[in-house]
Amino acid sequence: MQSEKQSGSLTRQILQSISEASLVPFLAILTAVIVGGIVILFVGGDPILAYRGLLQGSFGSTKALSETAIWATPYIFAGLAVALAFKGGLFNIGAEGQLAVGAVVSALIGYALPEWLGFDVPAIIHLPLVVVFGVIMGGVWAGIVGALKAYTGGHEVINTIMMNYIALNTTSFLLNGVMKDRSPTNVIARTPLIADSARIPPIFEGLRVHWGFVLALLTAFFIWWLLTKTTLGFQIRTVGLNPDAAKYAGINVKRIVILTMALSGMLAGLAGVIEVSGLNYRHELGFSIGYGYDAIAIALLGKSHPLGVVLAAILFAAMRNGATRMQFLTQMPVDLISMLQAFILLFVAADAIIRYIYRIKSKGERVVLTRGWGG
Amino acid sequence: MNENIVLEAKGITKQFPGVLANDNVNFDLRKGEIHALLGENGAGKSTLMNLIYGLHHPDNGEIFVNGKPVAIHSPNDSIAAGIGMVHQHFMLIPVFTVAENVMLGDEVTKRGSLDRATVAAKINDISRQYGLDVAPNAIVGELPVGIQQRVEIVKTLYRNAEIVILDEPTAVLTPQEAEDLFRIMRDLTARGVSIIFITHKLKEVLAVSDRITVMRAGRVINTVNPGETNEAELANMMVGRQVILTVDKKDREAEGEVLNVEELSVRDQRDLETVHNVSFSVRGGEVLGIAGVQGNGQTELSEALTGLRHPTHGKVVFDGKDVTGKPPRVMTETGLAHIPEDRQRHGLVLAYTVADNMALCDYYRFPFSQRGVLQPKALDEHARQLINAFDVRTPSPFVSAGKLSGGNQQKVIVARELSRAVKLVIANQPTRGLDVGSIEYIHNEIIKMRDRGVAVLLISAELDEIMALSDRIAVMYRGEIVAVVDAKQTTREQLGLWMAGAHAETAQ
């Protein structure tokens, strides 16, 4: 009887904590939509029509759903990357760069491996190699930043930004040079197409959505399991919440910082790999239109919870994808979406505004995203 | 109404989320008296003072100064009303001079630059008038703590305070410095200043105050005169039940050496050597108490012995193994239980559940973890056992540790550390800020460990705690151990002298 009562209240507690956690993001979205609507009105548009266009364009047909899922895939991976780092007390601004190096390496393995070996590699070997090398590259790229933090105290925010410059410019150098597609008609900085055996197949005939989306959902589940159910996850969260207590408890804080960054980079790298292997079949300069930066917004909106990240990623994907339809219906520029996203993020980050507007009492528990210098 | 009353709080009620911090509190202060406000942590003393000082606003009730109702919305209002406060943690800037600190926030300038001379003259006036010796041009960071406290008092007088609130002023002082403070307090009252003296130390209250008001759980229990009461009665009022003030400890032969420290030196994060050449040993079945005023190297010493900090020189042998500079994991696995000085910084992850915190040092071992996966059932069962065995007051093992009271948070740590198979307990300030009931409990647990043959190193700034629990006492002063004595063959006064830096030629 006693235990039944307790488990009942436990379920209620869990439900309560979920609704509390999602309340602010939900109200932030709602408020952003209202403010966005006012802006549309102000510039002489029809907000109802615009939002209807947005919904139709993102969820209104099988094709729209498929395209939304395609947009969501890199968002989920990169969002998980940033969220995992947050859980470990680290602010990974470098998802963009980790994504780029992952994409470059997977493209290279994708088109060049058969040439190097001199024969066609079966997909069952080729595709995993493409994925693994891209993921490792992303992990190494971010792991360097983790090591700098652990051993020199160099702050990861600065160092991930610097590593972004190195990654993006090196990518540009490679795509304009040794890795450039040499077909006579090509003038763009891009790699040759990857071999068929290096491609992730679509799920349905005739739609572009590929198995990478399913992999993204599975990865989100895996990250949730890793963080909440495993010893390693316990260590990562402990270091993130209280590095002093972590040290006291015998956790090797330096090792965990490096590992967390590396795991985060692997997830970001995976975002790049999947874009190459599942969608574009090559790496092209400027293919990532800020996935790595949107990922920060997605992790924030999703409160760094893997399920939250998936939902936030789908929301961002839907907005990006539906924007064209909205523009077609109402002549509202696609940039409106960036504005909406900025409003959402603003309201999530400065949640005092939302708490004030909707009179929500603060519980006094603030999310600490990153610690000060040195750590 | 008595015209001698300079400050009166009437019917003060203050509600914080989940706590009624002040419940219809009445308090008055007469001109030229020392009125002690006694109570445990969380009794509502600080809340009442913060309301009077303008850091919070009461939900109900009124505050009168010199018989007139005053609206105090900020410390500026209270300073204007002639109220000054000396906080437990000094609000001084160490690199500034005394004069600069005193005028801070109320700077005197002459043609755009600070007029140090005028301020220094005024400080000298105050010093003479009230017998508070301070040099206006001294750098505050270079002064001893007792003098820094005087600077704080001068600061309030400089702002013409007639009512001075002293919040736990003796926590950082040696017994001798505390005596000095009491003399200053009497000098101040002789010159018409009225003092509210906040404390939880019974002896001091009886020694210095004119009236004593005891608070418990947000309410005023009683106001008494020191001549008509005694320690036991005050303790009962504070706690609400009979309290045993001494620890029941039987004589016992010490066993073999468990911890041996040789010529240990440690540097702090500013790279200053705060522990020099310290040597001592602790044997099984004995409590070695390290006495000393806070900030004499105890923190760094305990960090070096528990693996949190690398010593720069010397050797630590634990259970026959050289463990110098070994990380905390090695120390725990060798058999160390560590009750850290700062429970919220090192001892707990406040956002974690009680159950997770109770396995904070063992989470990676069987049965809590199997093949890298946490075992919630084992964690839960372990937590329930410890909650029962150590009487932790928590609604369930799944409540986050941050929601427990300080005493129960400390019990979570004590339960976790003392329930393991350990050979050595290092307890640093194990009862700081706790209520009398929890203190009693933790003291008994420590003695139980000693009786079981465990070696205990107790570091505490509370002399009473050291004297009640220790078999031998070492005194630490400026990073050195200046004396080691048998606890039965020493006195408070002798220890106090050593704590203040007197040399130990007289020690056996």
Side-chain angles (χ1 to χ4, degrees):
Chain A
M1 204 55 204
Q2 179 78 16
S3 70
E4 225 171 84
K5 218 184 222 171
Q6 271 175 355
S7 71
S9 75
L10 187 66
T11 324
R12 210 185 56 222
Q13 272 175 13
I14 291 169
L15 284 176
Q16 199 184 343
S17 78
I18 290 174
S19 65
E20 269 169 22
S22 52
L23 186 61
V24 168
F26 174 77
L27 291 175
I29 295 165
L30 183 74
T31 315
V33 165
I34 293 168
V35 174
I38 294 169
V39 173
I40 297 173
L41 263 181
F42 193 69
V43 297
D46 178 349
I48 305 290
L49 196 61
Y51 287 136
R52 186 186 297 162
L54 201 55
L55 277 175
Q56 276 179 4
S58 52
F59 299 114
S61 64
T62 354
K63 184 161 176 296
L65 283 170
S66 155
E67 291 299 306
T68 299
I70 285 171
W71 275 100
T73 306
Y75 278 154
I76 293 174
F77 284 121
L80 287 172
V82 179
L84 178 81
F86 275 155
K87 284 286 184 194
L90 298 163
F91 198 168
N92 181 7
I93 301 194
E96 188 77 1
Q98 293 141 22
L99 199 140
V101 295
V104 165
V105 169
S106 66
L108 181 68
I109 305 283
Y111 76 80
L113 191 67
E115 283 173 38
W116 293 339
L117 297 174
F119 56 84
D120 284 346
V121 190
I124 195 143
I125 297 169
H126 198 182
L127 184 54
L129 284 177
V130 166
V131 174
V132 166
F133 274 92
V135 166
I136 288 176
M137 192 62 207
V140 168
W141 205 252
I144 293 171
V145 176
L148 286 172
K149 166 114 181 172
Y151 292 109
T152 72
H155 202 281
E156 76 275 9
V157 167
I158 304 296
N159 288 334
T160 47
I161 293 173
M162 295 306 128
M163 292 295 273
N164 277 354
Y165 285 122
I166 298 171
L168 298 175
N169 287 306
T170 309
T171 308
S172 165
F173 172 74
L174 291 173
L175 293 184
N176 279 301
V178 287
M179 287 177 71
K180 188 167 180 176
D181 179 5
R182 307 229 175 268
S183 58
T185 52
N186 179 43
V187 290
I188 304 169
R190 64 181 192 196
T191 67
L193 284 171
I194 57 172
D196 282 342
S197 53
R199 296 180 185 183
I200 295 173
I203 307 176
F204 307 107
E205 196 73 30
L207 290 175
R208 293 209 302 161
V209 62
H210 50 83
W211 288 101
F213 179 65
V214 177
L215 183 66
L217 297 179
L218 291 175
T219 306
F221 178 79
F222 172 76
I223 295 298
W224 171 81
W225 176 82
L226 177 83
L227 280 172
T228 55
K229 304 291 174 192
T230 69
T231 314
L232 177 62
F234 186 83
Q235 293 175 328
I236 291 175
R237 285 183 292 129
T238 307
V239 169
L241 286 166
N242 186 346
D244 289 318
K247 194 177 175 197
Y248 162 91
I251 294 169
N252 187 334
V253 176
K254 289 185 167 133
R255 195 181 135 248
I256 294 296
V257 164
I258 298 169
L259 200 61
T260 307
M261 263 328 263
L263 282 172
S264 173
M266 286 165 83
L267 288 165
L270 196 51
V273 170
I274 301 298
E275 282 298 274
V276 167
S277 169
L279 191 66
N280 301 322
Y281 304 140
R282 59 163 35 115
H283 187 34
E284 193 174 310
L285 202 59
F287 92 97
S288 164
I289 30 181
Y291 291 133
Y293 298 114
D294 282 349
I296 298 165
I298 287 163
L300 282 172
L301 183 59
K303 294 261 172 166
S304 299
H305 189 287
L307 179 62
V309 166
V310 169
L311 295 177
I314 291 174
L315 176 76
F316 269 50
M319 289 202 288
R320 289 273 174 218
N321 183 34
T324 333
R325 175 81 185 155
M326 178 193 73
Q327 187 171 22
F328 173 76
L329 277 180
T330 60
Q331 281 73 53
M332 281 291 126
V334 177
D335 301 323
L336 181 74
I337 296 309
S338 301
M339 189 195 74
L340 265 183
Q341 289 179 349
F343 272 124
I344 294 174
L345 194 61
L346 188 115
F347 290 135
V348 170
D351 64 353
I353 304 174
I354 291 297
R355 291 181 190 281
Y356 176 74
I357 295 175
Y358 299 96
R359 304 282 187 271
I360 304 168
K361 273 201 181 148
S362 171
K363 292 262 165 167
E365 287 166 28
R366 298 201 59 85
V367 187
V368 178
L369 296 178
T370 180
R371 295 189 302 274
W373 295 89
Chain B
M1 182 179 285
N2 191 334
E3 63 186 52
N4 278 333
I5 289 177
V6 287
L7 176 78
E8 185 171 23
K10 263 192 188 166
I12 299 284
T13 299
K14 177 70 183 175
Q15 174 91 45
F16 286 120
V19 203
L20 191 57
N22 274 184
D23 183 4
N24 193 22
V25 169
N26 294 306
F27 180 84
D28 62 67
L29 180 69
R30 292 178 196 147
K31 190 165 177 62
E33 78 164 344
I34 299 173
H35 192 156
L37 191 54
L38 185 67
E40 298 187 308
N41 283 57
K45 300 171 296 186
S46 302
T47 303
L48 181 61
M49 289 307 117
N50 286 338
L51 294 172
I52 290 174
Y53 196 59
L55 294 171
H56 292 306
H57 204 68
D59 300 333
N60 251 320
E62 274 186 298
I63 295 165
F64 299 85
V65 174
N66 294 321
K68 288 187 212 82
V70 287
I72 294 173
H73 297 287
S74 76
N76 286 336
D77 295 338
S78 67
I79 290 167
I83 302 171
M85 184 157 177
V86 176
H87 296 269
Q88 191 176 355
H89 301 283
F90 301 156
M91 308 284 172
L92 295 170
I93 298 177
V95 296
F96 281 9
T97 65
V98 170
E100 285 164 344
N101 268 292
V102 167
M103 70 169 126
L104 198 66
D106 188 15
E107 294 87 356
V108 182
T109 54
K110 200 156 86 186
R111 288 189 295 276
S113 60
L114 292 175
D115 185 2
R116 292 187 178 82
T118 309
V119 177
K122 197 169 166 194
I123 291 174
N124 283 331
D125 276 355
I126 293 170
S127 296
R128 256 195 311 276
Q129 204 183 330
Y130 296 98
L132 280 159
D133 254 347
V134 284
N137 294 321
I139 302 289
V140 161
E142 293 168 0
L143 297 175
V145 178
I147 308 291
Q148 291 189 17
Q149 193 170 51
R150 280 188 208 171
V151 176
E152 283 280 16
I153 297 172
V154 169
K155 243 169 86 177
T156 64
L157 299 174
Y158 179 86
R159 287 166 176 69
N160 303 316
E162 283 163 4
I163 298 163
V164 176
I165 304 170
L166 299 172
D167 187 8
E168 300 275 359
T170 56
V172 291
L173 303 181
T174 62
Q176 282 78 6
E177 282 174 322
E179 279 304 324
D180 257 5
L181 174 70
F182 297 153
R183 180 190 58 75
I184 290 168
M185 284 164 69
R186 288 191 203 98
D187 283 356
L188 288 172
T189 50
R191 283 164 180 79
V193 176
S194 316
I195 294 176
I196 303 175
F197 174 42
I198 304 173
T199 186
H200 64 268
K201 294 185 185 170
L202 304 170
K203 282 196 180 72
E204 295 176 352
V205 165
L206 290 168
V208 78
S209 38
D210 298 310
R211 281 193 299 159
I212 304 164
T213 291
V214 183
M215 286 187 77
R216 183 174 80 230
R219 259 176 255 166
V220 168
I221 299 303
N222 203 355
T223 299
V224 291
N225 292 324
E228 297 157 10
T229 185
N230 55 47
E231 276 187 53
E233 193 186 77
L234 289 174
N236 290 348
M237 282 196 262
M238 266 167 78
V239 187
R241 65 180 172 80
Q242 208 71 32
V243 192
I244 313 152
L245 283 171
T246 51
V247 184
D248 184 24
K249 191 176 102 190
K250 289 175 192 69
D251 281 349
R252 151 181 228 300
E253 277 297 300
E255 294 161 17
E257 196 171 273
V258 174
L259 178 74
N260 186 37
V261 179
E262 267 173 52
E263 297 179 351
L264 195 74
S265 294
V266 192
R267 286 171 187 274
D268 68 2
Q269 57 265 43
R270 293 165 303 166
D271 211 30
L272 301 174
E273 194 172 283
T274 46
V275 177
H276 339 264
N277 256 333
V278 161
S279 302
F280 61 87
S281 66
V282 192
R283 289 184 290 168
E286 76 163 350
V287 177
L288 175 68
I290 296 197
V293 179
Q294 275 174 45
N296 275 287
Q298 299 99 318
T299 302
E300 289 76 19
L301 175 66
S302 74
E303 284 177 349
L305 296 179
T306 54
L308 291 171
R309 188 179 287 279
H310 261 278
T312 45
H313 178 259
K315 198 170 158 190
V316 181
V317 178
F318 174 19
D319 197 27
K321 275 180 271 185
D322 184 349
V323 292
T324 319
K326 288 280 190 297
R329 178 66 46 91
V330 173
M331 301 303 290
T332 340
E333 291 186 347
T334 314
L336 169 74
H338 177 200
I339 301 171
E341 181 175 8
D342 187 336
R343 61 175 160 270
Q344 301 201 337
R345 182 173 159 215
H346 284 115
L348 295 169
V349 178
L350 293 177
Y352 276 3
T353 62
V354 170
D356 283 351
N357 271 298
M358 280 175 160
L360 198 60
C361 298
D362 276 333
Y363 66 91
Y364 62 99
R365 289 195 206 185
F366 183 84
F368 306 126
S369 168
Q370 285 179 38
R371 274 170 266 109
V373 180
L374 295 173
Q375 304 296 317
K377 258 193 198 144
L379 289 167
D380 180 20
E381 202 172 303
H382 171 71
R384 282 180 199 282
Q385 270 173 21
L386 294 191
I387 287 169
N388 275 331
F390 288 81
D391 189 30
V392 182
R393 306 282 164 83
T394 170
S396 92
F398 309 113
V399 172
S400 61
K403 296 212 167 108
L404 302 188
S405 69
N408 281 303
Q409 287 181 358
Q410 189 73 348
K411 277 188 185 172
V412 170
I413 296 172
V414 168
R416 175 184 73 214
E417 295 302 309
L418 301 191
S419 61
R420 292 201 308 261
V422 296
K423 302 186 184 92
L424 170 67
V425 177
I426 295 183
N428 194 346
Q429 306 282 6
T431 59
R432 176 148 75 192
L434 300 189
D435 55 281
V436 174
S438 305
I439 292 175
E440 240 183 319
Y441 188 85
I442 288 166
H443 282 174
N444 283 324
E445 288 301 318
I446 288 174
I447 291 304
K448 265 193 223 162
M449 294 305 279
R450 160 200 181 260
D451 290 345
R452 231 180 280 159
V454 173
V456 179
L457 182 69
L458 170 73
I459 300 171
S460 176
E462 299 278 347
L463 209 41
D464 291 329
E465 177 165 82
I466 292 280
M467 297 202 62
L469 297 182
S470 311
D471 297 300
R472 285 189 304 141
I473 298 172
V475 181
M476 222 173 155
Y477 175 72
R478 296 212 176 150
E480 288 175 38
I481 289 193
V482 293
V484 183
V485 288
D486 190 317
K488 282 189 202 135
Q489 290 164 16
T490 189
T491 58
R492 279 183 70 84
E493 289 64 38
Q494 182 57 60
L495 291 172
L497 284 173
W498 282 325
M499 281 163 70
H503 267 288
E505 284 97 345
T506 51
Q508 45 277 75

